[in-house]
Amino acid sequence: MLGAIGLDERQESAYRALVAIGAADVSDLAHRLALPEADTERALRRLERQGLAAQSSARTGRWVAAPPAVALGALLTQHRHELEQAELAAVLLAEEYRAEAREPAVHDLVEVVTGASAVAHRFVQLQLGATTEVCALVTGKPVAVTGMDNEAEERAARRGVAYRVVIEREVLALPAGITELSAALGRDEQVRVVERVPTKLVVADRGLAMVPLTGRGAEPAALVVHASGLLESLLGLFEAVWRDALPLRLGSGDGNGGDGGGSAEILEDALPGPDSTDLEVLSLLLAGMTDASVAKQLDLGLRTVQRRVKGLMELSGVTTRLQLGWHAYEKGWVARREPRG
């Protein structure tokens, strides 16, 4: 818990032990921590530099803990100040970057990341930098990255970042597939499944995307795509796959385990479709009627019509009414009218 102020696990354990017992010799503390005396003394020296511990003036070789409220409070204040300075520097750098990138060169719109470690690091960085939404397509044959990164997802989810993830069915058969999926559903992520996704993909805040670059046998590499027409195409690809995928939810099976407990099972839900009133609203709108005219024709409130149209757009994963009309025809919700001769 104290890693945020610069303490590693040994140092934190040593400090907690000193707080609990008040004071101790190096040998006693080493025995309590089950550490070599040399490692224990190094941890104490580090705590001394941090102002968290001091050698006793009454007895040579004895160490005492500094009061947590005072010592930790000072460190927290220092780190808050450093964080504020870092945030200010980040804002200034972002402004400088935007000023330089008003007319970005074509080659600046795409980064090439090479090597398994670099790809995995960039993948995590992409999620941790998201502020609103992460969209992902997950394949059953990962190369540099296995599925989504649970720790990065958890940290992003705690900050309120929403996740929409489409997995291919093969992911469910992976050794950790059900476990990872259960954890994702437990974080209220939206997860859907298709037979096969076209490519692995992750998009953060609709402004930055990452896709694999190399095939089997080659060194792992990926493209990081910044805001551009290519990014818009990748977003369109995700939305198309998302619309056709089936939602997943976590159920509890009867289970036949020796402990008599239940076992987790994954259930696929049919995508909800428009009801009869939705279809009437759609048909009249596509015939050229206004919202007000549709409301009057169907004896509905204007807000009811607008709410239903918004619901249909969300169901279709589109952002404009023109796209909604195209989607309605493609899904067979309404019939195309043949031109009159």
Side-chain angles (χ1 to χ4, degrees):
M1 293 177 63
L2 300 180
I5 58 174
L7 299 186
D8 63 23
E9 186 177 346
R10 288 180 177 178
Q11 293 154 11
E12 180 173 347
S13 297
Y15 182 65
R16 287 179 177 276
L18 277 181
V19 169
I21 60 180
D25 295 328
V26 174
S27 58
D28 293 338
L29 190 60
H31 178 73
R32 186 183 185 93
L33 298 175
L35 290 174
E37 289 190 16
D39 290 345
T40 302
E41 185 166 2
R42 277 194 292 271
L44 289 169
R45 295 292 181 186
R46 172 64 177 172
L47 293 175
E48 185 179 32
R49 289 194 295 272
Q50 293 276 62
L52 295 172
Q55 298 185 58
S56 172
S57 58
R59 180 176 168 182
T60 305
R62 195 166 179 81
W63 291 79
V64 296
V70 176
L72 292 178
L75 284 175
L76 287 171
T77 299
Q78 176 186 341
H79 279 269
R80 286 194 190 100
H81 175 71
E82 292 172 352
L83 183 59
E84 288 172 358
Q85 294 300 309
E87 288 177 341
L88 177 59
V91 170
L92 294 175
L93 286 171
E95 291 177 354
E96 183 178 345
Y97 178 82
R98 283 194 296 270
E100 293 294 329
R102 295 188 190 282
E103 297 294 336
V106 172
H107 62 268
D108 292 333
L109 298 176
V110 176
E111 303 173 41
V112 178
V113 183
T114 306
S117 177
V119 170
H121 177 75
R122 199 71 168 92
F123 179 74
V124 170
Q125 189 180 49
L126 200 71
Q127 294 182 74
L128 295 181
T131 58
T132 55
E133 183 185 51
V134 171
C135 301
L137 302 179
V138 179
T139 67
K141 292 185 174 66
V143 178
V145 180
T146 303
M148 298 295 286
D149 185 277
N150 280 335
E151 183 179 353
E153 284 186 71
E154 289 171 2
R155 292 171 63 182
R158 284 197 297 269
R159 292 186 286 106
V161 177
Y163 272 78
R164 286 193 293 151
V165 181
V166 181
I167 64 172
E168 60 184 19
R169 198 173 303 281
E170 190 175 351
V171 173
L172 300 176
L174 296 177
I178 297 297
T179 301
E180 292 181 359
L181 183 56
S182 298
L185 293 171
R187 291 189 293 268
D188 293 328
E189 295 181 17
Q190 296 184 65
V191 182
R192 293 186 178 184
V193 64
V194 291
E195 192 62 36
R196 187 168 300 279
V197 300
T199 181
K200 187 174 182 65
L201 169 68
V202 59
V203 184
D205 295 338
R206 308 184 75 82
L208 198 62
M210 186 172 177
V211 290
L213 181 61
T214 50
R216 297 176 183 175
E219 182 181 21
L223 290 180
V224 178
V225 182
H226 296 256
S228 60
L230 177 56
L231 178 61
E232 292 299 321
S233 297
L234 292 173
L235 281 168
L237 173 64
F238 172 81
E239 296 296 352
V241 176
W242 175 261
R243 285 195 298 269
D244 292 334
L246 293 175
L248 294 182
R249 59 188 175 88
L250 185 62
S252 56
D254 296 333
N256 297 315
D259 60 357
S263 61
E265 62 175 342
I266 301 301
L267 307 175
E268 298 179 23
D269 292 334
L271 285 169
D275 60 24
S276 58
T277 303
D278 288 331
L279 295 178
E280 287 184 292
V281 170
L282 261 178
S283 297
L284 293 176
L285 288 175
L286 291 172
M289 295 180 67
T290 64
D291 289 1
S293 299
V294 171
K296 184 176 180 180
Q297 177 72 23
L298 299 180
D299 195 24
L300 299 172
L302 177 59
R303 289 186 178 180
T304 299
V305 170
Q306 293 170 339
R307 186 171 61 251
R308 284 181 174 271
V309 173
K310 181 180 179 182
L312 287 168
M313 291 172 67
E314 291 176 351
L315 173 64
S316 306
V318 300
T319 56
T320 68
R321 292 194 175 197
L322 181 61
Q323 293 171 326
L324 175 60
W326 176 86
H327 185 82
Y329 285 131
E330 288 297 311
K331 289 294 183 182
W333 291 351
V334 292
R336 297 182 186 273
R337 291 180 171 82
E338 296 296 332
R340 296 179 180 177

